[in-house]
């Protein structure tokens, strides 16, 4: 192939890529590379397409060929890092980003990507260093401002939160993420802050075009110009952030006329202080008392509690996991308690849920269209139990117990507990959500939280948690089937 024909072939493939015709573009790049295997741009662009098609492993092979041919190709190094991150290999991703920055020190995207590795690890101090460096190169990077807003929200610096959110959404609140092989288009209503439902695996880029609308910033003219879509997914899963979006959501619901996943009303019922009323009347279920207290009244309220309310769990609204969570063992602990700044706090009665062997077990079941699916469980020696810090990766017996739960939750939990979990799914009345819980020594279900913010994600293929992937696939397939049913029903009634 002479140089002129080579450039024409590359241009044709690139135009297919830019127009979103990824499979046709991949074929065009492969034909080009069959005749010209040393074309660096062809390998790099083919890798990018394979990423869009959900094939990060194959993409890495293409990026590796590109950097073998041109070791100083910063973009290919960076893209390979993105692929490794998609596979959950953070260190390999960091190595690739470092190689990209060695080639091009002022590479804004690579600086952002390094920052995001540390952001995901919640090493916010290190993330800030890299994000600030990225903004020095390019002050308009959307993802940097989004993540900086989340960092400052976690730290209670609300002036900085507003500054960075305004920088992102002040002029544009609707973004379209085109699918490689689109089967449906979902309008995803997003909140500017924390508390959104993770959608990367529920609405995969490979087959779902996502129109992301940050509803509290969206202007009427933006909503009037929305591209056509099949359904609405309310991804604002945390009821504690609903106040600022209730009005624009209500206006939009009244006019959109499309199927709706997770209504505002259903999400609002799952606030921590409302869950005892929502679920507490169910048989075989224990939901500890939870009070919502204004920050200004927090210390006085704690001091006024009777001693028999202790130990008590104290956490700010909108926090999840172990973030800012404190356990006050007695009234004597109140004097030394230093609350994190938050408009409101939750006070929850602590229930000791240690098993007979002294371990603390926490289970998670996800609900898709109100049907339960076992997602994971963790065993720890401490009452704060999280899968990533419980030592599951180091102790095979814990993983075997988790796998047994995933394979047959009814056998592990018992008929009464499983019936209680099924009743929780019906009472929540969420199209997608979940419950974190334990089983008390008497067999009752102890509810920790139940809401829509639950994450479902696959594990590294061949890795220590690979046994979980068939069950994650079942959840994602059930979610996809629910969307298809809703779309088909809406079209049939139109």
């Amino acid at each position: 192939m002479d140089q002129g024909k080579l450039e024409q072939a590359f241009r044709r493939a690139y135009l297919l890529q830019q127009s979103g015709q990824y499979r046709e573009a991949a074929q065009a790049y492969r034909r080009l590379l069959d005749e010209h295997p040393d074309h660096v741009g062809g390998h790099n662009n083919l890798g990018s397409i394979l990423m869009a098609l959900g094939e990060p492993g194959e993409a890495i092979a293409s990026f590796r060929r590109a950097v073998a041919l041109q070791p100083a190709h910063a973009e290919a190094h960076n893209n390979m890092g993105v692929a490794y991150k998609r596979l959950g290999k953070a260190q390999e991703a960091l190595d690739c980003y470092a190689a990209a920055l060695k080639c091009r020190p002022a590479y804004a995207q690579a600086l952002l990507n390094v920052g995001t590795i540390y952001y995901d690890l919640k090493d916010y101090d290190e993330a800030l260093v890299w994000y600030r460096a990225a903004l020095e190169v390019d002050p308009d990077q959307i993802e940097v401002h989004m993540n900086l807003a989340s960092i400052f929200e976690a730290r209670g610096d609300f002036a900085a939160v507003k500054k960075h959110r305004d920088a992102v959404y002040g002029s544009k609140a609707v973004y379209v993420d085109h699918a490689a092989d689109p089967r449906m288009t979902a309008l995803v209503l997003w909140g500017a802050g924390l508390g959104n439902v993770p959608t990367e695996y529920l609405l995969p880029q490979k087959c779902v075009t996502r129109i992301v609308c940050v509803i509290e910033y969206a202007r009427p003219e933006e909503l009037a110009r929305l591209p056509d879509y099949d359904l609405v997914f309310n991804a604002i899963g945390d009821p504690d952030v609903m106040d600022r979006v209730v009005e624009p959501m209500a206006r939009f619901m009244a006019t959109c006329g499309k199927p709706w996943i997770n209504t505002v009303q259903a999400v609002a019922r799952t606030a921590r202080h409302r869950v005892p009323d929502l679920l507490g009347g169910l048989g075989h279920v224990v939901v500890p008392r939870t009070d919502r207290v204004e920050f200004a009244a927090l210390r006085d309220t704690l001091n006024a509690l009777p001693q028999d309310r202790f130990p008590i769990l104290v956490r700010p609204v909108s926090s999840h996991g172990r973030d800012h969570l404190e356990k006050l063992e007695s009234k004597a602990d109140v004097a030394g308690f230093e609350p994190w700044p938050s408009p409101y706090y939750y006070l929850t009665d602590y229930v000791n849920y240690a098993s007979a062997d002294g371990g603390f077990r926490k289970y998670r079941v996800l609900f898709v269209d109100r049907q339960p699916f076992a997602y994971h469980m963790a065993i720890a020696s401490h009452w704060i139990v999280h899968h990533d810090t419980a030592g599951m990766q180091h102790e095979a017996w814990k993983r075997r117990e988790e796998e047994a739960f995933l394979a047959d939750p009814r056998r592990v939990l018992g008929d009464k507990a499983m019936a209680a979990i099924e009743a929780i799914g019906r009472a929540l009345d969420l199209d997608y959500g979940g419950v974190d819980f334990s089983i008390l020594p008497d067999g009752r279900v102890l509810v920790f939280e139940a809401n829509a913010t639950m994450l479902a994600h696959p594990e590294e293929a061949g890795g220590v948690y690979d046994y979980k992937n068939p069950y994650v696939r079942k959840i994602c397939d059930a979610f996809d089937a629910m969307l298809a049913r809703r779309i088909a029903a809406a079209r049939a009634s139109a």
Side-chain angles (χ1 to χ4, degrees):
M1 183 182 297
D2 63 38
Q3 189 63 30
K5 289 183 178 179
L6 174 62
E7 291 177 359
Q8 288 179 2
F10 182 79
R11 179 66 177 169
R12 282 195 298 271
Y14 180 75
L15 290 174
L16 289 168
Q17 180 181 357
Q18 290 299 104
S19 66
Q21 300 178 70
Y22 293 119
R23 295 205 177 278
E24 295 83 352
Q27 293 173 355
Y29 281 124
R30 286 189 171 110
R31 286 194 297 270
L32 181 155
L33 292 168
D34 283 343
E35 296 191 41
H36 203 92
D38 59 350
H39 195 282
V40 177
H43 287 296
N44 181 61
N45 288 6
L46 177 58
S48 296
I49 289 171
L50 292 169
M51 284 287 289
L53 292 171
E55 302 291 346
E58 291 186 29
I60 287 170
S62 288
F63 296 136
R64 198 176 296 284
R65 293 187 191 100
V67 299
L69 291 164
Q70 186 177 325
H73 198 296
E75 184 181 350
H77 283 294
N78 177 72
N79 290 344
M80 185 156 47
V82 174
Y84 273 121
K85 183 176 183 293
R86 185 79 58 85
L87 291 172
K89 297 183 177 182
Q91 186 55 57
E92 289 87 342
L94 282 173
D95 292 341
C96 292
Y97 299 147
L101 290 167
K102 185 177 180 181
C103 301
R104 191 192 307 169
Y107 190 177
Q109 186 64 46
L111 292 166
L112 179 162
N113 289 338
V114 175
T116 300
I117 293 284
Y118 291 108
Y119 171 82
D120 290 344
L121 294 171
K122 294 193 174 181
D123 185 348
Y124 293 152
D125 288 336
E126 190 67 20
L128 282 170
V129 171
W130 292 94
Y131 283 151
R132 284 167 175 157
L135 289 180
E136 286 181 8
V137 178
D138 179 1
D140 297 323
Q141 292 182 89
I142 290 172
E143 186 177 342
V144 173
H145 286 292
M146 290 172 62
N147 290 352
L148 283 173
S150 296
I151 289 172
F152 289 120
E153 183 171 12
R155 292 182 168 184
D157 186 346
F158 300 112
V161 171
K162 185 177 187 307
K163 168 189 169 184
H164 287 289
R165 285 184 185 158
D166 288 350
V168 178
Y169 306 120
S171 60
K172 183 179 180 182
V174 176
Y175 301 85
V176 181
D177 187 6
H178 291 284
D181 284 331
R183 290 189 295 100
M184 66 180 72
T185 298
L187 174 63
V188 182
L189 299 184
W190 204 262
L194 303 174
N196 292 304
V197 180
T199 59
E200 179 179 358
Y201 301 104
L202 294 174
L203 302 172
Q205 181 186 11
K206 180 178 180 180
C207 57
V208 181
T209 291
R210 292 172 288 193
I211 307 167
V212 177
C213 175
V214 184
I215 191 68
E216 66 258 51
Y217 277 90
R219 296 178 300 283
E221 59 269 25
E222 285 185 290
L223 296 176
R225 295 196 304 267
L226 287 172
D228 190 30
Y229 54 90
D230 299 304
L231 54 77
V232 181
F233 182 22
N234 170 28
I236 305 173
D238 186 341
D240 290 320
V241 301
M242 293 296 292
D243 288 350
R244 62 177 178 257
V245 299
V246 166
E247 185 178 343
M249 291 274 271
R251 288 198 304 268
F252 187 76
M253 283 184 69
T255 59
C256 81
K258 295 293 178 77
W260 195 281
I261 304 299
N262 279 1
T263 65
V264 177
Q265 296 86 345
V267 171
R269 290 194 297 267
T270 64
R272 289 181 186 270
H273 65 301
R274 293 181 176 137
V275 169
D277 287 337
L278 181 63
L279 306 180
L282 301 177
H284 220 62
V285 173
V286 176
V287 187
R289 173 179 173 178
T290 298
D291 300 322
R292 193 171 192 256
V293 180
E294 289 187 11
F295 182 81
L298 177 60
R299 194 168 298 279
D300 287 344
T301 301
L302 288 169
N303 282 321
L305 290 177
Q307 183 60 52
D308 61 8
R309 285 287 304 275
F310 291 84
I312 196 159
L313 305 180
V314 186
R315 69 158 78 231
V317 298
S318 300
S319 76
H320 295 274
R322 56 188 175 271
D323 292 343
H324 312 295
L325 172 63
E326 299 282 350
K327 181 185 177 188
L328 305 183
E329 296 287 350
S330 69
K331 293 192 73 165
D333 290 341
V334 175
F337 171 57
E338 294 295 336
W340 180 81
S342 172
Y344 293 90
Y345 259 77
Y346 286 126
L347 310 182
T348 302
D349 290 357
Y350 174 75
V351 177
N352 183 8
Y353 63 100
S355 302
D357 61 1
F360 293 84
R361 286 162 170 79
K362 187 175 80 170
Y363 303 84
R364 175 171 291 182
V365 165
L366 298 181
F367 300 106
V368 178
D369 206 3
R370 296 145 192 86
Q371 298 302 306
F373 294 84
Y375 175 64
H376 75 202
M377 67 90 64
I379 310 167
S381 58
H382 189 267
W383 67 271
I384 300 181
V385 183
H386 294 286
H387 200 278
D388 57 347
T389 60
M392 300 288 290
Q393 71 273 33
H394 304 302
E395 300 182 77
W397 71 271
K398 292 183 177 181
R399 298 194 299 275
R400 287 195 296 270
E401 188 168 329
E402 179 183 36
E403 187 171 8
F405 166 66
L406 297 175
D408 193 347
R410 184 175 298 276
R411 185 183 65 80
V412 171
L413 302 178
D415 287 337
K416 288 185 177 179
M418 195 64 210
I421 295 298
E422 292 166 348
I424 287 172
R426 293 190 295 272
L428 288 175
D429 199 28
L430 291 166
D431 300 303
Y432 175 81
V435 59
D436 285 347
F437 64 96
S438 190
I439 302 298
L440 294 172
D442 63 6
R444 290 181 298 167
V445 174
L446 172 65
V447 174
F448 299 131
E449 63 176 309
N451 53 55
T453 60
M454 305 292 184
L455 169 66
H457 69 89
E459 302 290 342
E460 178 186 352
V464 68
Y465 297 125
D466 185 52
Y467 61 87
K468 296 177 62 176
N469 283 325
Y471 305 100
V472 176
R473 184 69 264 157
K474 285 175 62 177
I475 294 167
C476 293
D477 286 347
F479 187 82
D480 187 64
M482 175 182 67
L483 299 188
R485 288 195 303 272
R486 300 290 177 85
I487 293 171
R491 288 173 177 170
S493 63

